[in-house]
Amino acid sequence: MKKFIALALALVMSLALVACTASTPGSESASQPEVQATDLETIKNKGEMIIGYTVYEPMNYTDENGVFTGFDTELAEAVCAKLGVTPKFQEIVWETKEVELNASTIDCVWNGMTINEERLANMEITDPYVVNAQVVVMLKDAAYENTASLIGKNVCAEQGSAGQTTIEDDANLAQATFVPKTVQTDCLMEVAAGTCDAAVLDITLANAMIGEGTDYANLVIVDQLAEEFYGVAFRKGSDAAAATNAIFDELIADGTMPALAEKYGLTLAE
């Protein structure tokens, strides 16, 4: 009997000790999972925003004086200034932009990126900020009536771009031989050299790089296929997209974005 009582007392004391340990100040917080910083907090904590881009005039490019500039370049700099961080521009392969985002090697894709349903499902994208369209570019003397004129011809576009999607979605262009290129400027070289019959690319780039007074004076826009809009892409669920939208509103109100649009010959989304 005495042994039983002793065992019972020992059990009660053990339970009391466990209870005291569990209620010790700080013990509950120690067991809680660590709170992860949001994307915006991470960007601010490291003091820089890593911006993924490809060479694309007039959005991100190096001018004749060797200065890296462009509409998106200057706009990103203005947004980063308001966030109190430094923009760090990192060239990427357009086709792997989502891989770069998800691997956190970049914080965003800021490079005249067309908004579409697939991208909205996989990335956190800002409100539309620039109007764009896909156009067909050919040699000045080339015969063209409509996209049916390109059935069986070689048509190029940047791989993974809205241009490629436009080719695939058009019943006539889908019957052409698609030639994928790494960047849109390579498409212009192909058409100018006669190795491709046409290119499908952004009107923003075409307006800046072809026609009289450019290196591609022998190229012209022969057709406009679809209107679209540009957005800045962050990782899915990122709070940095909403913060960027708020700053866009400020930059529109103070005249910064309208002035940049006029400087680079672009149309802001309404």
Side-chain angles (χ1 to χ4, degrees):
M1 184 68 178
K2 290 181 179 179
K3 288 184 178 180
F4 176 78
I5 294 173
L7 286 171
L9 288 171
L11 179 60
V12 170
M13 291 178 67
S14 296
L15 291 172
L17 181 61
V18 170
C20 288
T21 302
S23 61
T24 300
S27 62
E28 290 186 10
S29 60
S31 64
Q32 294 297 318
E34 184 179 347
V35 177
Q36 295 294 319
T38 68
D39 264 15
L40 185 59
E41 289 170 343
T42 299
I43 290 168
K44 288 186 173 183
N45 288 340
K46 68 183 177 181
E48 66 179 16
M49 181 186 288
I50 304 175
I51 298 165
Y53 79 96
T54 61
V55 177
Y56 170 15
E57 188 175 351
M59 310 310 283
N60 309 87
Y61 67 101
T62 302
D63 67 16
E64 63 275 9
N65 298 315
V67 177
F68 184 66
T69 188
F71 178 86
D72 274 344
T73 303
E74 291 199 48
L75 181 56
E77 289 170 343
V79 169
C80 285
K82 284 187 173 288
L83 289 175
V85 301
T86 301
K88 180 181 178 181
F89 294 93
Q90 183 168 305
E91 192 167 1
I92 60 172
V93 175
W94 190 251
E95 191 182 12
T96 59
K97 55 189 174 294
E98 290 180 43
V99 175
E100 297 264 19
L101 266 182
N102 293 331
S104 296
T105 54
I106 57 175
D107 295 310
C108 63
V109 178
W110 203 325
N111 188 224
M113 191 199 76
T114 299
I115 301 171
N116 61 31
E117 292 301 319
E118 181 180 357
R119 289 171 179 168
L120 285 169
N122 296 317
M123 297 181 282
E124 202 69 31
I125 302 176
T126 64
D127 295 334
Y129 66 100
V130 164
V131 180
N132 184 48
Q134 293 302 305
V135 294
V136 179
V137 172
M138 299 181 71
L139 288 168
K140 189 179 293 186
D141 58 353
Y144 182 87
E145 292 184 10
N146 51 47
T147 55
S149 302
L150 295 172
I151 294 175
K153 303 288 184 67
N154 292 329
V155 179
C156 60
E158 181 181 60
Q159 192 164 17
S161 70
Q164 178 178 352
T165 302
T166 300
I167 291 171
E168 293 169 346
D169 291 346
D170 185 280
N172 295 321
L173 292 176
Q175 299 179 64
T177 299
F178 173 57
V179 180
K181 305 304 296 183
T182 303
V183 292
Q184 292 193 79
T185 48
D186 287 350
C187 298
L188 298 178
M189 288 190 286
E190 292 280 354
V191 178
T195 47
C196 275
D197 299 287
V200 178
L201 39 73
D202 293 351
I203 192 172
T204 51
L205 179 137
N207 283 337
M209 296 197 67
I210 71 173
E212 297 299 326
T214 71
D215 292 336
Y216 298 102
N218 60 335
L219 300 184
V220 294
I221 295 172
V222 297
D223 203 353
Q224 181 170 317
L225 303 179
E227 184 177 77
E228 56 197 30
F229 299 92
Y230 287 160
V232 182
F234 294 85
R235 277 176 288 281
K236 190 65 179 175
S238 174
D239 57 341
T244 301
N245 280 335
I247 295 174
F248 279 173
D249 290 341
E250 295 175 18
L251 295 175
I252 290 171
D254 69 15
T256 299
M257 284 178 67
L260 286 175
E262 183 177 357
K263 177 180 178 179
Y264 290 100
L266 301 174
T267 301
L268 293 180
E270 296 182 358

